Amino acid sequence: MIEASGLIKRYGSTLAVDDLSFVIRPGLVTGFLGPNGAGKTTTIRLILGLDYPTAGTVTVNGKPYQQLTSPMHEVGALLEAKAVHGGRSAYNHLLCLAQTNDIPKRRVAEVLGIVGLGDVARKRSKGFSLGMSQRLGIAVALLGDPQILMFDEPVNGLDPEGILWIRTLMRSLAAEGRTVLVSSHLMSEMENTADHLLVVGRGRLIADCGMAEFIARSSGRAVLVRSPQPDALARAVTDAGASVANTGEPGQLLVRGLGEQQVGDTAFAAGIPVHHLAASRVSLEQAFMELTADSVDYHAAVPAGRSSAHNGMEA
Amino acid sequence: MAALTAGRARPGTGPTPGLRTALVGALRSEVTKIRSVRSTYWTLILLVLASVAWSIANCAGEAYRWSQLAAQDKAGFDPAQASILGLASLGQLIIVVLGALTITSEYSTGMMRTSLTVMPRRGVLYGAKAAVFAAVSLVIAVPASFICFFVGQRLLASTHVAATLSQPDVLRAVLASALYVAMCGLFAFGLGAILRSTAGAITAAYGFLFLLPQLAKALPSTWYADVVRWLPGGDVIAEITSTAPGQIGTHLFSVWGEFAVFGVYTVAVLAVGAVLFLRRDA
């Protein structure tokens, strides 16, 4: 259980974390989601006692992290994969960390096996690929067999095999009843792994809800319909209680609030011809983008004429 | 994935070690850290080789030209110092690098964040790091000083003035030289904690140990005499390595007085480093 209350972190004039309060409950995979620069890493550093909050408190199992007497047995954390001394072998890296928490040598050998680095244990980590470094970082997190695991952007820069491995690992850790906090700037990363979501933007909490609720709340169902009489169709479905958005394509509408059957029936009743009609579920990625659109620090310039968030959607 | 649970080192949240257990763990960890990177071996091997090479070159040279030396020069010759001056003057250059690296390499690699995550008691981590480094540098510097001494005296045998450890002040000079080297390393360690940069810490240490005494020489001689006793890197090395320290310069404190001065600097730098280590974001 991780509890944050009124967390604020200011670096000079930059407000990295702005009044965050949340509870990360045991036995769930909590996705910590936000655009780059939203304050995810800073929050994790605050949880781990690496940085001190400007205001507010955060506790792990009821205590500030720095007061944990045996932190590796309670929390395992993966920060940057390359936060290792490259001149040290994987085995010695793990050993020197294990010794601080009185973890036996055989556990070092064991986690090397779990993450699949047994064969390169005696090699200096300088020569490791990003994927191998990531595995080494995860081995550190697993050393103390903790109930809480935190992974900061674990799939960043990994190849598909590495991504699959980490996803499988996170799922199996959660299946064992552990608390897993995984941060990402990719909504698609969360779709299959997270039970609960914490969404942040510019340091502020935007959403704190279950994955199912997030999907229901922010995407909903929409129907994409094309007609030679779009204005008449828009009036008809609006009268039937739907909301209509223009997709930018001539003659094409995005209808929310009605199912595809109801949209078809409404058009038929009004005598409006329909050339195309299809259900279109707004992807989580788009829902996330809409939700955080106001909180992205640096927007890329949008090409002229195609700025709508709903354009180009095909079911 | 079954191994994840099968390999459980301890069920539940594990033991709750007190400060003592944490300290023991941190010390073991720091020993593993320092012995598992090559830079430790390179610097320490270089320290021993350079010091011994200096002793060989100097003592063999003195022995070679002994017969041509004036009686006055022979009378002023300090055979013990001839063998260990290299350890103090070259050893300090090298140990400074290791002392700084012991802490700054953790910052430059990002390892410090991992270290603090597994050992969030920062005071314990800092203390263990400094203690292990101090122990390692003494374990190398003390034998190195004796090797320099014995090798040098062996080469000076033909002069019939070679020193023995039983002579007054000889053992003191041999041990003080090693202690001085270790202290230089700790001084650089403290600077490393403050500056968190390898280049910065080494530059600052060299500036203090070499540049300041050299700059002081630009002062009028009476001022220099007043200033240099407060600067460990300058004439102090000659005094520490000497078996007749009183003759080196009346402008200096005694050997242990100079150690006290350097000790105060070192403790101050280590203390400032510790406070910053505890308070700063990692």
Side-chain angles (χ1 to χ4, degrees), chain A residues 225-230 233 246-253:
Chain A
V225 56
R226 199 160 60 234
S227 165
Q229 298 169 29
L233 181 62
N246 207 320
T247 65
E249 293 285 322
Q252 188 167 287
L253 300 173

Side-chain angles (χ1 to χ4, degrees), chain B residues 16-39:
Chain B
T16 51
L19 185 66
R20 199 185 136 84
T21 319
L23 196 55
V24 169
L27 286 169
R28 286 173 64 210
S29 166
E30 291 303 323
V31 169
T32 302
K33 279 184 190 171
I34 207 163
R35 69 161 178 76
S36 61
V37 290
R38 290 184 188 176
S39 55

Side-chain angles (χ1 to χ4, degrees), chain A residues 43-254:
Chain A
T43 306
I44 290 177
R45 295 167 59 88
L46 292 172
I47 295 172
L48 294 174
L50 291 174
D51 288 7
Y52 296 109
T54 309
T57 56
V58 56
T59 58
V60 176
N61 295 335
K63 283 182 186 174
Y65 189 87
Q66 288 200 343
Q67 286 174 23
L68 297 181
T69 44
S70 196
M72 292 179 93
H73 295 292
E74 301 193 44
V75 182
L78 168 75
L79 297 163
E80 323 99 286
K82 290 285 185 185
V84 299
H85 191 304
R88 200 169 279 135
S89 71
Y91 177 82
N92 280 326
H93 176 66
L94 292 173
L95 179 63
C96 77
L97 298 173
Q99 284 170 330
T100 60
N101 281 241
D102 206 17
I103 294 167
K105 279 183 182 175
R106 64 180 158 75
R107 178 63 181 165
V108 172
E110 215 166 67
V111 292
L112 278 164
I114 293 172
V115 301
L117 290 177
D119 294 341
V120 292
R122 298 286 172 178
K123 293 239 164 68
R124 295 196 288 163
S125 63
K126 199 179 281 180
F128 282 12
S129 68
L130 183 59
M132 289 160 81
S133 301
Q134 207 79 334
R135 284 165 188 259
L136 183 57
I138 287 171
V140 173
L142 297 177
L143 267 177
D145 196 23
Q147 276 303 306
I148 300 176
L149 288 139
M150 294 200 275
F151 300 118
D152 191 18
E153 301 272 1
V155 302
N156 245 8
L158 289 191
D159 56 16
E161 193 210 340
I163 292 174
L164 185 65
W165 180 77
I166 286 195
R167 279 188 191 153
T168 312
L169 178 77
M170 286 194 298
R171 269 196 293 263
S172 64
L173 289 168
E176 291 167 5
R178 297 173 207 250
T179 307
V180 181
L181 176 69
V182 53
S183 85
S184 177
H185 62 279
L186 296 173
M187 183 67 220
S188 54
E189 235 347 274
M190 299 293 166
E191 286 196 53
N192 304 314
T193 37
D195 308 304
H196 194 88
L197 282 183
L198 283 177
V199 185
V200 289
R202 281 200 183 159
R204 299 194 69 95
L205 194 64
I206 296 175
D208 178 359
C209 60
M211 181 60 104
E213 190 191 330
F214 182 79
I215 294 169
R217 190 167 86 186
S218 47
S219 69
R221 287 174 66 82
V223 177
L224 193 65
V225 56
R226 199 160 60 234
S227 165
Q229 298 169 29
D231 296 339
L233 181 62
R235 271 194 302 277
V237 292
T238 309
D239 289 345
S243 67
V244 177
N246 207 320
T247 65
E249 293 285 322
Q252 188 167 287
L253 300 173
L254 189 73

